[in-house]
Amino acid sequence: MAYVKATETVNETNFLASEKFVSFPRQVDSTSYAVTTDGRGHKVIPAGTVYPTNDASAEGVTIDEVDVTYGAQPVGVIVDGFIYGKKLPVEPAAAAITALKRITFVDEATASGSTQG
């Protein structure tokens, strides 16, 4: 008996500008604004998502993709470090950049048009 499975391509983008960062565990679920459905029908939150929302209440940036299809899951959230804002799935809003005081966006194409230090 043969088992046949469709080929799936995974694209991972390195959005970290430095190997040094600080992250803390947080919990995410399928009610997040950033949930997308992947090729297998799973609900996922992409790595590089501004957490918990892309606005003035932003706390950090998720470090890994997390599958929330079957309930809430833990995810690492970067709260201090250097990140390429242009490489995130959705560029951070100006209010989120202001709220993320300990994250430095090292490219000039963030929502505010300048880098944050």
Side-chain angles (χ1 to χ4, degrees):
M1 177 179 292
Y3 294 96
V4 179
K5 199 176 195 184
T7 302
E8 186 174 338
T9 302
V10 176
N11 293 316
E12 293 182 358
T13 301
N14 179 21
F15 55 84
L16 295 174
S18 171
E19 67 183 31
K20 297 179 182 178
F21 60 89
V22 176
S23 72
F24 293 108
R26 297 289 186 258
Q27 191 162 327
V28 292
D29 60 29
S30 61
T31 63
S32 171
Y33 79 98
V35 171
T36 61
T37 303
D38 68 7
R40 297 173 292 158
H42 289 215
K43 295 177 182 177
V44 297
I45 297 172
T49 298
V50 178
Y51 172 89
T53 55
N54 192 1
D55 58 18
S57 64
E59 297 176 18
V61 177
T62 61
I63 191 166
D64 294 309
E65 180 177 284
V66 63
D67 186 336
V68 293
T69 304
Y70 303 108
Q73 297 294 320
V75 65
V77 175
I78 299 169
V79 296
D80 188 356
F82 295 86
I83 293 177
Y84 293 112
K86 287 171 62 173
K87 292 185 177 182
L88 296 178
V90 175
E91 287 189 41
I97 291 171
T98 301
L100 300 172
K101 297 181 185 329
R102 297 190 59 185
I103 293 179
T104 300
F105 294 95
V106 296
D107 49 21
E108 68 284 345
T110 56
S112 68
S114 62
T115 58
Q116 171 78 22

